[in-house]
Amino acid sequence: MKQLNALMTLCFAAVLMLLIASCSKEGPAGATGPAGPAGPTGPTGATGPKGDTGVANVIYSAWLDATYIADTVHTGAVIDTLGFYFDANVPKLTNAILTSGEIKVYLNLNTAASPTIVPLPYFDPYFQISINPTFAASIIDIYSNIDLSTVINAGSKVRQWRYILIPGGKPARSSIDWNNYEAVKKYLNLKD
């Protein structure tokens, strides 16, 4: 008798499940109706926490002219030129930037209309050109083995330079190539 009751209960449960499954079946979807009117604007949300400092604190120069000075040594009546240098006064280059920030210097070997920009330090093995910057508080010194003073060629200035000072903050999380001027310009939203 117990087996009969268990069998009847099992059959009743199976029939009940079939009835429920057959009742929940939907027919084919109808066509999409027209869009309703726009709802009212919702309330303004709460102000979130202050975000990290952005690139607004980046300091950059315009393209600047350079006048190199010959670095010479006098040996008797002979004057030997060892290289060429110029010192730029950069008041915003602080000890804090020197110790925990980033300093980038770029040289435009061509004109503003047709730039050929290289990051410093720079070495050209073909022409044997070497250009190296050094930094101190408020000063950028650039030393070269040739005179790279800014000149006017066909009415346009060539060989101008610029600097970018990036104060330290949090460690960088970007994979920016700081030696690629175009990538840096885009990342920092710099204007020429």
Side-chain angles (χ1 to χ4, degrees):
M1 187 75 161
K2 284 185 181 182
Q3 288 179 343
L4 186 59
N5 281 343
L7 183 60
M8 285 181 66
T9 303
L10 186 59
C11 286
F12 178 71
V15 168
L16 185 60
M17 286 176 46
L18 284 172
L19 282 173
I20 291 172
S22 66
C23 291
S24 66
K25 200 172 199 180
E26 294 181 20
T32 302
T41 302
T44 301
T47 301
K50 183 176 181 338
D52 293 338
T53 301
V55 296
N57 54 352
V58 171
I59 302 161
Y60 62 95
S61 71
W63 286 101
L64 304 169
D65 296 341
T67 302
Y68 283 76
I69 299 168
D71 182 12
T72 59
V73 62
H74 298 262
T75 53
V78 178
I79 300 175
D80 287 330
T81 301
L82 304 174
F84 298 86
Y85 68 94
F86 85 94
D87 300 329
N89 185 19
V90 182
K92 293 187 178 184
L93 178 50
T94 64
N95 280 330
I97 292 174
L98 287 169
T99 59
S100 64
E102 177 68 51
I103 306 160
K104 296 306 294 180
V105 180
Y106 299 94
L107 175 66
N108 183 357
L109 297 170
N110 209 355
T111 65
S114 181
T116 301
I117 298 170
V118 296
L120 301 186
Y122 175 75
F123 177 72
D124 183 324
Y126 184 76
F127 292 106
Q128 296 296 304
I129 300 172
S130 175
I131 315 163
N132 292 291
T134 55
F135 312 106
S138 300
I139 297 171
I140 295 177
D141 294 322
I142 299 181
Y143 196 91
S144 178
N145 63 334
I146 64 171
D147 185 354
L148 289 171
S149 296
T150 303
V151 295
I152 295 180
N153 184 12
S156 297
K157 289 184 178 183
V158 295
R159 299 194 305 242
Q160 290 185 300
W161 71 287
R162 87 180 311 180
Y163 62 85
I164 300 173
L165 307 177
I166 306 165
K170 291 186 177 185
R173 294 178 296 207
S174 71
S175 59
I176 185 78
D177 178 2
W178 292 103
N179 289 325
N180 180 331
Y181 177 72
E182 290 300 319
V184 171
K185 184 171 78 169
K186 180 178 177 186
Y187 179 72
L188 298 176
N189 292 326
L190 301 179
K191 295 176 177 43
D192 273 330

